[in-house]
Structure formats: structure tokens, C-alpha cells
Amino acid sequence: MCCGSKRGSEIECAAECQYYPLGTAAIDSFRKIDNQVVEKMTLLVARHLGDVAFREAVEAHARLAKAKDDEPGASLNNAVANVALLKMFHEPATAGKVVYDVLRAQGFPGLSNDERVLLKTLEGSLPTVIEVQRTVDDRFLEVVDMFEPDGHTEKLLDPALAGHGLPRFARLLVWLTRYPHFCRGNGGCLMIPDIMATDYVERIRKLAKAARLNDPRQYLLAHAAECQGWVDAMYRERMGGILRRSDIHQCVLVYDVKGDHREVLRILDSKPDFEPSATGTATKTGVRTYNWLRRGESRKLEDQMPEAFRSDDERGSVGTVGTIRLSSNELTVEAFSRQKMDFAKATVKDYFGSMLQLRRELVRDVGKEMAAELPKHDATPSPRRASGIDPETERQIMEQFFRQKYERFPDESVPMLGGLTPRQASKRPELRGKLVELMKLHMRGLDQEYRGRGIKISLDALLDELGLAELK
């Protein structure tokens, strides 16, 4: 047995050696030493910069990386880790030298051989975006560095992330350190939202190219804080734009009843479009409530609805137009889109004619309000949540739902594919990249939401059909 004074530095150790902390048989030992090295590295950087300069560097980094609604100090933990790596290896701190060079010249005082070996390996750390391919076990994940030219898979040691059950193809911004037999994330770790994960990676690529950098990771290194801040900023921009463009409006139409309200009531009760709600019987105030459904004549609205919001006769689901409340002198219609409101106005005129007269029309732009109050993206990886439904019942319902959904999916128009169907896009080589991203998006969502609860939705047949067997 070696004493540890030369392993990994002068002695080339086998991966299976139980005393070699960078091997595969001494993971617990590695994690202990790794934590010691990170702590000592931070203290050494603070000592060489001085407490005031170190604090100022951390605060400056945190300001650039800060999400809009972060509480004061919320970004400091990531900033401390990132500044320690930057000042230790990349940014001059003392007499024009990085701290690592100063320590090396001094013989790494106070560090054991194992700590020196780990610190030397940390020298090659770079910020990058990784994509999770699968969780191997309770300690390792299989990942791909999005900026590695050959796109090969690597084993990432991170029990915390492995325990969170991250979905396949989730993307994270990390400092990646490559050891002989596995890699490790250091510095801050931020989840990149699905809604802009592809755009984020492409933005870094384009900026690196504009800066004439062959490796996008060098751009991330030079702009570490800004790139971290973009995770929240791009999320807000994309989600806010979607909300502002969406037809999410609270619309209320208020009609005066002209004549006997019982005739209005008779029409409501005679039409299949209107269904008394659970509280639809007259209350003490004489108000009756109806759910306005997309059936009967109102079925015409179904074909006008965005595809994602259409109901499905095969599953027995019925969409809604809105809610109706009728008293002796007033009828109100409440709907949650302008499209539904316009349909309701025209239909009320057809059904009731002169019996109802529009008195007031209220429209509230809920989408715009939501965009203005959009909470910050929670970039911290978190465990899957439970649904609260009986597991077996949920499994049966969801497996049937997704089986039917993905039977139709190949022939449905998809905006991300320029309006083409996935089947059409699979025959267009120039659209293969977008089709891959589309399917990764679907698979991430399924993984994140359901597989952690024992619900297995296999898309293997669909992937084969679209010529994407490599994603299985």
C-alpha cells in the first residue's frame, strides 16, 4: 500500500485501487478530499486577494449574475464558488499571477499530496452546459458536454443531482472538472429552463464565434457572471413574450334581461351547450349558474381553437366557452379569452335576440399582468413532486392519455417545425436538428413529470418511426 505521498502524482494508480481517491473504488474518500480542497481553495484565494478585495469581487460577480427578483445575498453562494475558481486559475490576483501559480512556486504549503493532485486537476475546469442523458445510480449521471466537439458521454459524479431524478436531456450550467475516470461539477450549478435551453446554447456559440473563439467554453469563462445572469433574463424574456402574445384575458359580458327572464331560462335549459353547474340551482338571490360547453351549436368553436386546447371526443372530453349566471334582470357571461368572448357575443345574439341587451363589456389582460409579475426562474435542481392521486389510478389514466396523444402526434402540425408535421420533418434532412430538439423537449417533460412516479411513457416506437432511434 502506498502512503499517499505519491499516488496520482508520481505513482500511476489503477482505477480499481481502493486507496486512490481519483479512482472508481474510493468515491467516498474522493468526496471528502474534494470538499476539503474546495474549502481550502476559497480560503487561499481570499487570503491572497485580501478580505476586502475578495468580498468586492464576489459582490461584483453576484450583481452581474443576479436574477431580477433575487433577495440580497441570494446569488452570493454561487458567486463565491465561481470567483474562487476564476481567481485561482484564470484571473491574475497577485503581481500579475493567478493564485495557483503563486502556490505552485511556494510548493503548495499546507496541502497534502491528494489535495495537490485534486487542485491540479481543478486547473482544467471550465464553465459549460451539460445535458443529462440518464441517471446511472445514486451517485453518477451520464452527461454530454454541449460544447465538446465529439459529443461523447461522460460519467458525472454528483449524488445530489442523481438523487433529484433529473429528466433526460435536462441542461445545466456548471463548471466541469474532468478527473481520470469521471467528471465533477464545481462552482454554481443552474438548471436551464426547457423553454430557452436550445437558444441559450446557440447564443453562447454565436457570441464565441463573433469573439473569434473556437471553444464556446472560453466565452463562458470570460463572461461567467453575465452568462449565469442570462439564464433568468432569457427565461423572463421568452416566457414574458409568450404570455403577452397569448390570448389570456378575463372577459365579462353583462346583459340586461328585457322581458320575462323565464324565457331566457327556458332557452338555456333547452340547449345542449348549457349545463347547470353543481351550484346551478337558484340561490337565495335567485341566480342560476351554467357551464357553457363546446357542444351543440357551440361545437363550431372547437375547430377554431388552438390545437393544444381542443377537446377530444374519443376521450369523452368537452371544452368550455365560459360560465353564465342568470338572475331575474341580468345575465353575465365570463370567458377567459377574447376568442371565446367574441364567439359568446355572436351566439348570445343568435340564441336570445332582443331578449338580452349588452350593457357592459369588461376585458382584463391577464397574460400581460402575468408577464409583468413573472417570478424568477428557480434554477436550483429540485426533486420530483408527488401528484396526490392514487398511484395506480394515475398510472392508468396518464399512460392511456399519452398513448393516444403520441399516436396522433406524427401527423400534427408543429410551429417549431415551421408548421410541418414531425413525419414530414423526418424526411427533410435540414430539419433533423429541430426535430431532435422537439423530441428531447417532449422526453424531458415526460421524464420530469411522470417517470419519477412510476408512470412509464415509452416513445420508442415513435422515435423509430421518425428515424430518431439514437434518442431511445
Side-chain angles (χ1 to χ4, degrees), residues 300-311:
K300 291 183 293 187
L301 178 61
E302 195 65 42
D303 293 336
Q304 303 170 26
M305 296 295 294
E307 193 166 337
F309 298 103
R310 293 178 188 172
S311 56

Side-chain angles (χ1 to χ4, degrees), residues 109-222:
L111 297 183
S112 68
N113 176 74
D114 288 338
E115 290 171 338
R116 291 196 300 270
V117 171
L118 261 68
L119 190 62
K120 179 174 176 57
T121 309
L122 278 169
E123 185 182 13
S125 301
L126 285 174
T128 191
V129 175
I130 59 173
E131 182 181 83
V132 176
Q133 304 302 298
R134 67 186 182 98
T135 300
V136 178
D137 53 32
D138 60 355
R139 298 180 301 179
F140 287 98
L141 301 100
E142 198 173 80
V143 302
V144 168
D145 183 340
M146 297 301 292
F147 299 125
E148 190 69 21
D150 64 0
H152 66 279
T153 58
E154 304 177 66
K155 286 182 69 176
L156 176 74
L157 172 64
D158 197 318
L161 288 181
H164 283 313
L166 293 176
R168 289 189 69 194
F169 310 122
R171 292 179 182 176
L172 302 96
L173 177 63
V174 300
W175 282 75
L176 196 64
T177 307
R178 290 178 169 88
Y179 296 96
H181 304 288
F182 52 82
C183 58
R184 178 92 163 122
N186 289 288
C189 176
L190 299 180
M191 284 282 292
I192 302 177
D194 290 349
I195 197 170
M196 34 68 70
T198 300
D199 289 346
Y200 183 87
V201 171
E202 288 308 307
R203 181 176 186 177
I204 302 300
R205 289 189 197 279
K206 289 178 181 177
L207 289 169
K209 185 176 180 180
R212 298 183 178 180
L213 296 171
N214 293 327
D215 188 344
R217 291 168 291 197
Q218 292 298 326
Y219 186 90
L220 279 169
L221 178 63

Side-chain angles (χ1 to χ4, degrees), residues 85 92 165:
L85 285 164

Side-chain angles (χ1 to χ4, degrees), residues 165-346:
L166 293 176
R168 289 189 69 194
F169 310 122
R171 292 179 182 176
L172 302 96
L173 177 63
V174 300
W175 282 75
L176 196 64
T177 307
R178 290 178 169 88
Y179 296 96
H181 304 288
F182 52 82
C183 58
R184 178 92 163 122
N186 289 288
C189 176
L190 299 180
M191 284 282 292
I192 302 177
D194 290 349
I195 197 170
M196 34 68 70
T198 300
D199 289 346
Y200 183 87
V201 171
E202 288 308 307
R203 181 176 186 177
I204 302 300
R205 289 189 197 279
K206 289 178 181 177
L207 289 169
K209 185 176 180 180
R212 298 183 178 180
L213 296 171
N214 293 327
D215 188 344
R217 291 168 291 197
Q218 292 298 326
Y219 186 90
L220 279 169
L221 178 63
H223 304 273
E226 296 97 322
C227 293
Q228 183 176 323
W230 290 344
V231 172
D232 182 71
M234 289 180 67
Y235 165 75
R236 288 177 180 278
E237 180 182 355
R238 177 60 58 84
M239 182 59 76
I242 290 173
L243 289 171
R244 284 187 289 271
R245 291 190 300 270
S246 297
D247 184 6
I248 309 175
H249 295 84
Q250 182 184 21
C251 306
V252 179
L253 303 170
V254 182
Y255 292 88
D256 289 326
V257 176
K258 300 297 182 179
D260 192 341
H261 81 285
R262 288 176 294 185
E263 182 59 20
V264 175
L265 181 62
R266 184 192 67 76
I267 294 174
L268 287 171
D269 287 338
S270 69
K271 299 288 186 181
D273 317 40
F274 310 115
E275 181 179 86
S277 71
T279 57
T281 54
T283 63
K284 290 181 180 179
T285 59
V287 176
R288 292 179 181 269
T289 305
Y290 291 81
N291 297 318
W292 189 341
L293 305 176
R294 297 201 295 269
R295 64 187 185 195
E297 289 297 311
S298 298
R299 179 70 187 174
K300 291 183 293 187
L301 178 61
E302 195 65 42
D303 293 336
Q304 303 170 26
M305 296 295 294
E307 193 166 337
F309 298 103
R310 293 178 188 172
S311 56
D312 190 336
D313 288 336
E314 294 180 5
R315 296 202 308 270
S317 63
V318 180
T320 63
V321 177
T323 302
I324 289 179
R325 294 178 180 85
L326 174 67
S327 67
S328 60
N329 61 353
E330 183 179 275
L331 181 141
T332 64
V333 179
E334 184 175 20
F336 282 89
S337 74
R338 282 185 175 274
Q339 180 188 27
K340 292 180 178 180
M341 181 188 73
D342 291 342
F343 179 85
K345 284 173 69 175

Side-chain angles (χ1 to χ4, degrees), residues 293-462:
L293 305 176
R294 297 201 295 269
R295 64 187 185 195
E297 289 297 311
S298 298
R299 179 70 187 174
K300 291 183 293 187
L301 178 61
E302 195 65 42
D303 293 336
Q304 303 170 26
M305 296 295 294
E307 193 166 337
F309 298 103
R310 293 178 188 172
S311 56
D312 190 336
D313 288 336
E314 294 180 5
R315 296 202 308 270
S317 63
V318 180
T320 63
V321 177
T323 302
I324 289 179
R325 294 178 180 85
L326 174 67
S327 67
S328 60
N329 61 353
E330 183 179 275
L331 181 141
T332 64
V333 179
E334 184 175 20
F336 282 89
S337 74
R338 282 185 175 274
Q339 180 188 27
K340 292 180 178 180
M341 181 188 73
D342 291 342
F343 179 85
K345 284 173 69 175
T347 305
V348 165
K349 185 176 181 179
D350 288 344
Y351 280 180
F352 301 100
S354 60
M355 285 185 283
L356 297 177
Q357 181 176 326
L358 182 62
R359 170 164 43 97
R360 189 165 68 249
E361 182 177 316
L362 304 174
V363 179
R364 176 185 165 207
D365 193 337
V366 179
K368 186 176 181 180
E369 293 176 12
M370 292 171 66
E373 300 297 327
L374 193 65
K376 81 180 188 74
H377 164 63
D378 184 3
T380 305
S382 56
R384 294 185 176 104
R385 59 184 176 82
S387 68
I389 303 174
D390 171 65
E392 181 59 23
T393 300
E394 183 186 28
R395 183 188 65 78
Q396 292 176 0
I397 292 173
M398 298 316 298
E399 287 182 2
Q400 179 182 4
F401 171 79
F402 282 110
R403 184 170 58 252
Q404 294 172 340
K405 171 183 172 67
Y406 285 107
E407 283 174 357
R408 300 189 300 270
F409 178 77
D411 299 305
E412 292 179 343
S413 173
V414 178
M416 185 174 172
L417 300 175
L420 297 179
T421 69
R423 194 186 308 281
Q424 291 169 331
S426 69
K427 296 175 171 56
R428 302 269 295 271
E430 71 275 16
L431 292 176
R432 181 175 178 80
K434 288 187 177 181
L435 185 58
V436 167
E437 288 298 326
L438 175 66
M439 292 313 303
K440 282 184 176 181
L441 187 63
H442 279 259
M443 295 171 76
R444 271 200 300 270
L446 291 173
D447 243 14
Q448 188 164 17
E449 189 66 25
Y450 298 111
R451 285 181 182 163
R453 305 207 294 266
I455 299 173
K456 297 180 180 179
I457 316 297
S458 174
L459 300 185
D460 287 359
L462 174 60

Side-chain angles (χ1 to χ4, degrees), residues 50-71:
D51 289 343
V52 173
F54 181 70
R55 184 173 65 251
E56 289 176 348
V58 168
E59 290 173 350
H61 188 99
R63 281 194 298 272
L64 287 173
K66 181 178 179 292
K68 180 181 176 183
D69 294 333
D70 271 349
E71 296 295 327

Side-chain angles (χ1 to χ4, degrees), residues 90-101:
H90 302 286
E91 296 179 358
T94 304
K97 295 182 178 180
V98 297
V99 175
Y100 183 77
D101 287 342

